[in-house]
Amino acid sequence: MTTYELFSYPACQKCEDLKAFLKTTDLEGQEFNLAHKDGKIKIREHLSRIRRDEQGGMILPVLVLRDESGVRAVLQSREEAEAWLKSRA
């Protein structure tokens, strides 16, 4: 079973788009708000996997997909999540 960890930031439209998409799937998971300390601590586990922009800033949102064997994918947009799920169908 695939589960997710979603890292998002308030007032981030791309984050809201991905959250809305996740509600249409059968995936279960947890959201971490990067404006809060627990979200900032938790995302540290994935820093080496996260794409960054030209200035070194983290590209949001960050969706970490896991299964029993560990991290399966780190996606950073609704489009990437849609494509990943279609590839698994």
Side-chain angles (χ1 to χ4, degrees), residues 2 10 20 24-25 31 36 44 46-47 55 59 68 77 86:
T2 302
T24 70
T25 72
E31 181 182 353
H36 297 126
R44 290 179 188 166
H46 307 292
L47 289 179
Q55 290 79 35
I59 299 171
E68 309 80 40
S77 71
K86 284 180 185 175

Side-chain angles (χ1 to χ4, degrees), residues 15-73:
C15 299
E16 294 302 319
D17 289 347
L18 184 52
K19 284 189 241 183
F21 171 71
L22 288 171
K23 289 179 183 178
T24 70
T25 72
D26 60 355
L27 294 173
E28 295 180 15
Q30 186 173 3
E31 181 182 353
F32 294 91
N33 185 329
L34 292 173
H36 297 126
K37 184 177 180 179
D38 65 329
K40 292 175 185 176
I41 291 170
K42 183 69 176 169
I43 201 165
R44 290 179 188 166
E45 296 175 20
H46 307 292
L47 289 179
S48 65
R49 298 179 177 105
I50 297 171
R51 284 192 316 274
R52 297 185 176 269
D53 64 19
E54 298 81 31
Q55 290 79 35
M58 194 179 325
I59 299 171
L60 295 178
V62 175
L63 179 65
V64 178
L65 297 167
R66 298 176 173 269
D67 65 15
E68 309 80 40
S69 63
V71 174
R72 303 301 300 161

